[in-house]
Amino acid sequence: MPRSRINGNFIDKTSSIVANILLQIIPTTSGEKRAFTYYRDGMSAQSEGNYAEALQNYYEATRPEIDPYDRSYILYNIGLIHTSNGEHTKALEYYFRALERNPFLPQAFNNMAVICHYRGEQAILQGDSEIAEAWFDQAAEYWKQAIALTPGNYIEAHNWLKITRRFEFE
């Protein structure tokens, strides 16, 4: 049974009903409708912390989804789950794939920066300051891109860039 039919609370049920009505009246292909249904079910599973089910739905959603913009959000969400699971290499791969289709995803740049920053911190703990600096420099590049897309967001990253003198702001 599709997840959209088993959600327990009133708001989830109402949202599912509205989404189903929209799917029926908006002129889309059957593939787009299938992709949206899998995507919606993936988001529902993800919000409940059921990452295995969410990934399964997102992978299914990528099959019929041909729109690069919509596909970028599916790939981004796959990256989020891999990040949550500590699978940073896989997460970076999916964030890159999302950005190939939609270079205007500041949240993907931010998440990539967070992973790079974390890896820099891990390198420091292992006593490798040269590798740490390389990771921090990469984090800075990603944060600059996120901030350029959404000025005023990512205040902590903005402050870190200033403190570490990796980016001069006007």
Side-chain angles (χ1 to χ4, degrees), residues 6-19:
I6 59 174
N7 284 334
N9 73 44
F10 176 75
I11 293 173
D12 284 344
K13 285 182 180 179
T14 304
S15 296
S16 292
I17 290 168
V18 170

Side-chain angles (χ1 to χ4, degrees), residues 88-154:
H88 295 151
T89 301
K90 276 186 180 180
L92 288 170
E93 174 190 337
Y94 280 95
Y95 293 140
F96 278 120
R97 290 174 63 186
L99 287 165
E100 285 173 350
R101 287 151 183 85
N102 179 3
F104 302 103
L105 280 175
Q107 61 270 41
F109 285 116
N110 178 64
N111 292 357
M112 292 165 63
V114 169
I115 290 170
C116 291
H117 189 271
Y118 171 79
R119 286 183 168 179
E121 290 176 335
Q122 294 303 303
I124 286 174
L125 292 175
Q126 294 172 358
D128 197 337
S129 61
E130 191 173 317
I131 295 292
E133 284 304 308
W135 280 116
F136 290 144
D137 287 343
Q138 188 60 63
E141 291 306 311
Y142 292 140
W143 270 322
K144 288 177 200 177
Q145 291 174 308
I147 292 167
L149 289 171
T150 55
N153 287 354
Y154 309 112

